[in-house]
Amino acid sequence: MRPLILIVDDTPLARTTLRRTLEQRGYSIVEAGSTEEAIRVYQEEWPDVVTMDMLMDGHNGLIAIQLLQRLDHKAKIIVCSATSDRSFVSGAATLGVEAYLNKPVDPERLLAAIDKALAKTGT
């Protein structure tokens, strides 16, 4: 069974770009365009890894990460964001994200971060 990745980003182009990279590697993909949708999709699909944007309409990614971690304390989350604001980077690190990658995301760094996260769970 192929690992399932949840892409959370409010920009359709960003989701499409990540989807293409990950599908080429053989991952299954589900998407969410908001924090609320991410929570719903997570509960329905229980993905192996989540990629999370930091700046989204309605919530910032730190809130979304906290909500996902309440659902599943073992959630594997990789931040993919255009912001490198210290408060977001340090906040994400405090929450225990697997990696913090700046957009445009380097495909090899993303794949390496996902592989590392999956290796922790044996997926």
Side-chain angles (χ1 to χ4, degrees):
M1 191 164 176
R2 300 184 319 167
L4 180 63
I5 312 298
L6 168 57
I7 299 169
V8 183
D9 198 303
D10 63 342
T11 306
L13 180 59
R15 290 195 310 269
T16 299
T17 301
L18 290 175
R19 174 184 278 275
R20 284 183 185 147
T21 297
L22 298 174
E23 284 180 336
Q24 287 175 356
R25 181 66 173 265
Y27 294 119
S28 296
I29 307 298
V30 289
E31 297 180 16
S34 67
T35 298
E36 295 79 12
E37 187 178 8
I39 299 301
R40 182 182 53 74
V41 172
Y42 196 96
Q43 289 176 306
E44 291 172 0
E45 302 289 340
W46 296 98
D48 298 294
V49 177
V50 176
T51 66
M52 177 67 65
D53 189 19
M54 280 286 105
L55 303 175
M56 297 183 289
D57 291 338
H59 287 113
N60 69 49
L62 295 175
I63 293 169
I65 291 167
Q66 291 171 334
L67 292 170
L68 288 175
Q69 289 176 333
R70 285 186 198 144
L71 283 175
D72 180 2
H73 71 280
K74 295 180 181 180
K76 304 291 183 210
I77 301 169
I78 296 169
V79 173
C80 297
S81 181
T83 186
S84 56
D85 181 285
R86 287 179 190 237
S87 64
F88 284 108
V89 175
S90 65
T94 299
L95 293 171
V97 300
E98 302 296 318
Y100 196 110
L101 306 176
N102 287 325
K103 289 179 182 174
V105 174
D106 176 81
E108 292 306 314
R109 289 189 67 210
L110 175 61
L111 294 169
I114 289 173
D115 288 345
K116 184 177 177 183
L118 291 172
K120 289 182 180 181
T121 61
T123 305

